[in-house]
């Protein structure tokens, strides 16, 4: 985590609650670990069967799966909106381009207390990451990450704020949209550029809120991340990412509520 926020004076600088919200969000977006480690020679692997009820997570077509080219979330803190997260999919002759963008703005006493902008562009071929470029503006502090698949070595080479590392081919970046990540034990942190070991378990199907207004619900499988990361993500039966939830450091609840879900899934009142 790279932020440097002075929050001693909330009227002119960053409030402590703003820092806590950012830290919580930052950890989950990047799926960053408390102890990143250097276990990047662990082999990334996929389970023999999908951890979801009816999803084929080893071979997906995101444009088909997400019923179009865009998938939107509202980011909420203790029930109030604080930002947005957007996914865009573009199928081309070189493969599938995926753009993930997050924007968060936190106000205090009518003033902007904190702003966070994240943009990730990735190229996929046959459900494997081939190229990645990430740009982050953390309230004025900018960082970047690039990664590229090396066909000769059959490895993924990533260059981030702390230099270059090499990971196994098939390693997933930490953007959540591809349910193949749920069968992995190693992921590429798109903020730090470091590998993170994760443990993910299925807690069963639940009924969750989706869409605007809080009156619509859908069924989704609750997946819990543990180990170097603790957070909760939900996927519908087809493998679409539909929710994210975690606690910020001030104890407040942060939720990514899917807005697009109710346009393609029958709502249950």
């Amino acid at each position: 985590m790279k932020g440097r926020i002075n929050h001693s004076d909330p009227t002119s600088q960053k409030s402590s609650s703003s820092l806590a919200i950012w830290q919580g969000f930052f950890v989950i977006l990047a799926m960053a670990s408390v102890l990143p480690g250097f276990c990047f020679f662990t082999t990334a692997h996929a389970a023999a069967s999908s951890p979801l009820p009816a999803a084929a997570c080893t071979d997906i077509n995101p444009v088909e799966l997400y019923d179009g080219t865009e998938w939107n979330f509202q980011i909420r803190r203790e029930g109030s909106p604080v930002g947005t997260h957007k996914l865009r999919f573009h199928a081309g002759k070189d493969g599938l381009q995926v753009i993930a963008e997050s924007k968060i703005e936190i106000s205090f006493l009518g003033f902007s207390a904190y702003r966070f902008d994240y943009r990730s562009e990735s190229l996929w071929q046959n459900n494997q990451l081939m190229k990645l470029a990430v740009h982050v503006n953390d309230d004025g502090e900018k960082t970047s990450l690039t990664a590229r698949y090396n066909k000769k070595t059959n490895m993924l080479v990533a260059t981030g704020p702390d230099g270059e590392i090499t990971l196994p081919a098939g390693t997933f970046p930490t953007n959540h949209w591809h349910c193949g990540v749920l069968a992995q034990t190693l992921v590429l942190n798109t903020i730090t550029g470091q590998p993170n070991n994760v443990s993910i378990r299925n807690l069963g199907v639940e009924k969750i809120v989706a869409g605007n207004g809080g009156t619509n619900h859908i069924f989704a499988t609750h997946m819990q991340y543990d180990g170097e990361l603790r957070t909760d993500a939900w996927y519908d039966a087809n493998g679409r990412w539909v929710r994210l939830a975690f606690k910020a450091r001030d104890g407040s609840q942060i939720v990514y509520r899917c807005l697009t879900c109710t346009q393609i899934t029958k709502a249950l009142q």
Side-chain angles (χ1 to χ4, degrees):
M1 292 180 288
K2 301 290 183 182
R4 298 290 186 272
I5 302 177
N6 185 337
H7 54 277
S8 59
D9 181 358
T11 63
S12 62
Q13 300 182 43
K14 308 297 179 281
S15 70
S16 59
S17 62
S18 299
L19 173 61
I21 297 166
W22 164 75
Q23 288 173 321
F25 166 75
F26 198 49
V27 167
I28 303 308
L29 173 66
M31 295 174 66
S33 64
V34 176
L35 300 172
F38 291 89
C39 301
F40 49 85
F41 293 110
T42 303
T43 302
H45 70 278
S49 60
S50 170
L52 300 172
C57 293
T58 57
D59 185 16
I60 70 172
N61 181 338
V63 176
E64 248 178 51
L65 179 65
Y66 285 92
D67 197 42
T69 59
E70 195 169 295
W71 196 253
N72 296 312
F73 292 84
Q74 182 183 71
I75 302 172
R76 303 173 70 87
R77 175 182 181 266
E78 295 296 334
S80 298
V82 293
T84 60
H85 185 79
K86 177 184 294 187
L87 292 169
R88 285 179 286 164
F89 306 98
H90 303 281
K93 63 179 182 179
D94 294 331
L96 175 77
Q97 182 191 39
V98 183
I99 299 174
E101 292 182 295
S102 290
K103 294 183 181 296
I104 289 181
E105 186 165 4
I106 298 170
S107 297
F108 185 77
L109 298 178
F111 297 93
S112 178
Y114 177 75
R115 183 167 185 148
F116 179 84
D117 294 300
Y118 169 95
R119 180 182 173 90
S120 165
E121 296 185 32
S122 55
L123 179 68
W124 296 73
Q125 294 176 358
N126 299 317
N127 291 271
Q128 180 175 316
L129 179 65
M130 306 301 289
K131 296 180 184 178
L132 175 70
V134 180
H135 299 282
V136 177
N137 187 337
D138 170 25
D139 213 31
E141 183 177 349
K142 298 179 180 180
T143 58
S144 62
L145 163 70
T146 61
R148 181 183 291 268
Y149 172 66
N150 186 320
K151 188 175 181 180
K152 290 182 179 179
T153 62
N154 192 33
M155 301 292 281
L156 187 68
V157 181
T159 305
D162 298 321
E164 184 179 290
I165 61 167
T166 304
L167 302 99
T171 300
F172 279 79
T174 54
N175 291 132
H176 294 292
W177 64 268
H178 197 307
C179 61
V181 71
L182 300 176
Q184 306 298 307
T185 58
L186 179 73
V187 292
L188 172 61
N189 185 318
T190 60
I191 298 294
T192 67
Q194 292 293 328
N196 291 162
N197 291 308
V198 295
S199 174
I200 306 172
R201 60 175 178 156
N202 187 328
L203 297 185
V205 177
E206 300 173 355
K207 191 177 180 182
I208 64 169
V209 176
N212 282 315
T215 60
N216 293 325
H217 298 78
I218 60 172
F219 286 110
T221 300
H222 184 175
M223 307 299 297
Q224 186 174 78
Y225 290 74
D226 207 343
E228 296 178 342
L229 166 73
R230 293 185 179 181
T231 187
D232 296 88
W234 285 257
Y235 293 77
D236 70 12
N238 293 310
R240 290 179 285 246
W241 174 39
V242 295
R243 179 181 165 96
L244 189 72
F246 58 95
K247 282 194 175 182
R249 297 210 174 184
D250 65 347
S252 62
Q253 183 75 2
I254 307 298
V255 172
Y256 283 38
R257 179 188 292 179
C258 183
L259 301 180
T260 318
C261 301
T262 53
Q263 298 174 16
I264 63 171
T265 306
K266 184 178 180 181
L268 301 174
Q269 302 299 326

